[in-house]
Structures are given as C-alpha cells and as structure tokens.
Amino acid sequence: MNPPRTSYPAPQRALRVGRFSLGLDHPLIMGVVNITPDSFSDGGRYFDPARALDHARRLVEEGADILDIGGESTRPGSLPVDLDEELRRVMPVLEKLVLLPVPVSVDTCKPEVMRRAVDAGAAMINDINALRAPDALVALAGTSSAVCLMHMRGEPRTMQQDPHYQDVVAEVAAYLAERAQAATQAGIARDRIVVDPGFGFGKTAEHNLTLLRELRRFETLGLPLLVGLSRKSVLGRITGRSAPERDPASVAAALLAVQRGAAIVRVHDVAATRDALQVLNAVENISSHLAED
Ligand code: HH2
C-alpha cells in the first residue's frame, strides 16, 4: 500500500491588495521606506517627508512591486511610538504615495493607524504583531486591504533576550496558521493574507538560518510567504558588516528565500534585488530574458 500523501492547500495564483491584484507566478519585491528617526537599517535618512517621498518614487522606478512605509522602528530594544506621532509621520507620506501605480503597505500594529491608512488608500497592512491588538482584526475585516501576518516572540523591547524554541519552524508555522485562521474567521479572505516568519523578531542567528534553510516547510500553510532579511543582524553576524554595508548579503538572502518559495521579499535595495531575481528567472526559464547589451 502507498503511504498516505500529504496534501497541501493549493498555492494561490494572485494576491488581492486593495484595488490591485498581484500575480504570484513570479517573486514580488516590497521596497522599504522607514519614516523614522531611529530605524536600525537606515538610521533616519528618510524621516523628512520630502526625502521619504523621493526615496519611495525611486524604489518604484527601480522595480518595487509594493512599497512598505512605517512610522515606528521595531529594531531590538526600540520603544513604542504614540498614536499621534505615528499618524503624523505616516499619513502625509501615504496620502502622496497612493497616487503611484503600485500598492502601498503600511507597517503598523495600531488599529487606529490601520483604519486611517486604509481610508486614505493603503492597500495592505503589514503587522509585525499579526493583528493581535484588541480591535485589529475588526479594523481590517470588511475592507479591501491585504494583510501581512508576521511571527514575533515577545515584543521589540525584549524579544532578543534569550529566545528558545524546540522546533523553530514548526512553532512559527503553527503560530502563523493560528493567526491566519483568526483573520479568516474575522472575515478577511484568504487571498488577501500573506504570512511572514519574522526574521530577527525573537530569534537567534541560528534560528534565523534554520528558518531560511527550511523555508519550504511553510508551504503547508498554503499562503504566500513574505521574507524580510534585508540588512538584518544575522547577515552582520555572518559577514562582520554594519547595517548599511549589508546590501550584497541581503541580495544573497533574498535570492535564497525566493529559491525556497518566498513569494515576496521585503528589501531596502530594490535595484540590486531586481537584478538578482532576473538572473534567477533567466536561469530557470532560459529564453527571452536576455536584454540587449
Ligand atoms: N522587519 C522590519 C520591520 N517590519 N515587517 C515584516 N513583515 N517582516 C519583517 O521582516 C520586518 C517588518 C525591520 O526592518 P526595518 O523596517 O528596516 O527596520 P526598523 O524596524 O528599525 O524600522
């Protein structure tokens, strides 16, 4: 007798993101715009709204499929930002960016920011807290917004204090399955949900590398997978480089993630990531992908 086959939910073909539908037959690039004075990855370069807008427009020209803007740093040890300050940082930039031809995601944990952002045209909410705040599920149910549900153990202030797992992949996947179920039960359709293992959020370097190596195990969830390894400290541990010098390592990590099934990569260096993914695509589909010299 043949052993029973494990059946996975059929992979989705497209992700509905506000008024956009993004095909999942090729990897998508999410370009990061931190409107913060204290992000670990770019240290306040785009805190000024005009600079954030210029940067976002450049990321779109370089090939970003989605923009992710955030007004609160979540680096290890960071403190929360209050509601008014987060709105003051995010909303003026969002209101301009929604005029661009790509969906705009807002990186926030606060239900009030979610509501205001979606009303202003945000097509996606990226929540490192996976809609666990009271009211967060309600804030998004009944909207056309997509959502990224990310795994985090603890909270940014304390998450890197000695994290432990028996089987990091199984535990993170179980958490994401539970949060996806909570979202669908609240009325958020499955074709609007993305899940993310949360690299660097309550994980050691070894946990992060195990998650990346075994990323295929997340296919059992049957949901598009977002991976954010760009400039993260695990890449610093490997290369000995500071955050601004980690783009080559970030491109390598994005490529490895896509090869292991990531649908979306969240990156700071969009142009270099695009080139790397084009090389991967050309190798996998040798034919018409060769540009003229
Ligand atoms: N990482 C960061 C922030 N938001 N969202 C998702 N879904 N996945 C991630 O891996 C992720 C995220 C941290 O990176 P960054 O935005 O560059 O830094 P900071 O939080 O310091 O602004």
Side-chain angles (χ1 to χ4, degrees):
M1 229 173 74
N2 291 330
R5 284 187 50 205
T6 316
S7 67
Y8 297 157
Q12 277 168 224
R13 296 233 176 92
L15 180 68
R16 287 197 300 144
V17 187
R19 64 193 164 91
F20 300 85
S21 175
L22 300 180
L24 294 171
D25 52 345
H26 61 281
L28 300 171
I29 299 180
M30 173 184 261
V32 181
V33 182
N34 289 316
I35 318 161
T36 52
D38 55 347
S39 286
F40 86 96
S41 51
D42 45 31
R45 276 178 75 184
Y46 309 112
F47 189 40
D48 172 48
R51 293 182 77 165
L53 283 169
D54 280 352
H55 183 59
R57 291 190 184 108
R58 189 167 65 246
L59 295 184
V60 174
E61 280 165 19
E62 290 175 355
D65 300 289
I66 312 174
L67 290 171
D68 187 40
I69 69 172
E72 177 173 50
S73 172
T74 50
R75 74 181 192 287
S78 61
L79 295 171
V81 167
D82 76 32
L83 172 66
D84 288 344
E85 176 61 14
E86 194 176 333
L87 287 169
R88 204 181 59 73
R89 293 177 184 180
V90 169
M91 295 306 289
V93 176
L94 174 65
E95 279 156 14
K96 297 250 167 40
L97 291 184
V98 293
L99 304 173
L100 294 179
V102 300
V104 182
S105 158
V106 173
D107 189 340
T108 186
C109 302
K110 296 189 183 71
E112 187 55 22
V113 178
M114 295 176 191
R115 277 194 202 93
R116 300 271 291 269
V118 172
D119 283 350
M124 184 174 194
I125 296 297
N126 172 24
D127 185 1
I128 63 162
N129 207 22
L131 303 182
R132 280 185 295 170
D135 251 15
L137 286 165
V138 178
L140 290 194
T143 75
S144 63
S145 173
V147 65
C148 176
L149 303 169
M150 197 198 79
H151 175 273
M152 169 169 61
R153 178 155 292 180
E155 50 168 348
R157 197 171 48 83
T158 52
M159 65 191 176
Q160 290 308 102
Q161 292 170 6
D162 200 21
H164 276 289
Y165 301 84
Q166 296 286 331
D167 176 344
V168 66
V169 180
E171 287 167 58
V172 170
Y175 173 89
L176 294 176
E178 183 273 313
R179 295 314 301 155
Q181 194 182 10
T184 50
Q185 276 171 1
I188 302 170
R190 268 182 85 79
D191 62 357
R192 296 190 183 283
I193 300 175
V194 172
V195 289
D196 178 345
F199 288 90
F201 287 84
K203 285 128 193 147
T204 62
E206 196 182 342
H207 294 140
N208 289 311
L209 292 176
T210 303
L211 286 166
L212 178 56
R213 191 180 56 215
E214 299 182 21
L215 205 64
R216 287 262 174 225
R217 286 173 63 192
F218 288 95
E219 281 174 7
T220 54
L221 297 172
L223 289 165
L225 202 60
L226 187 150
V227 165
L229 270 160
S230 188
R231 298 185 185 166
K232 295 252 163 108
S233 66
V234 59
L235 303 178
R237 284 283 299 277
I238 297 167
T239 61
R241 296 192 185 279
S242 66
E245 302 171 324
R246 292 178 194 155
D247 283 340
S250 303
V251 171
L255 200 61
L256 289 166
V258 167
Q259 285 187 306
R260 287 162 171 77
I264 307 175
V265 282
R266 181 182 182 277
V267 303
H268 300 88
D269 189 341
V270 168
T273 307
R274 174 104 284 161
D275 284 359
L277 294 181
Q278 280 174 339
V279 173
L280 176 63
N281 187 33
V283 171
E284 288 183 350
N285 310 286
I286 301 170
S287 65
S288 56
H289 299 287
L290 303 178
E292 295 295 321
D293 279 338

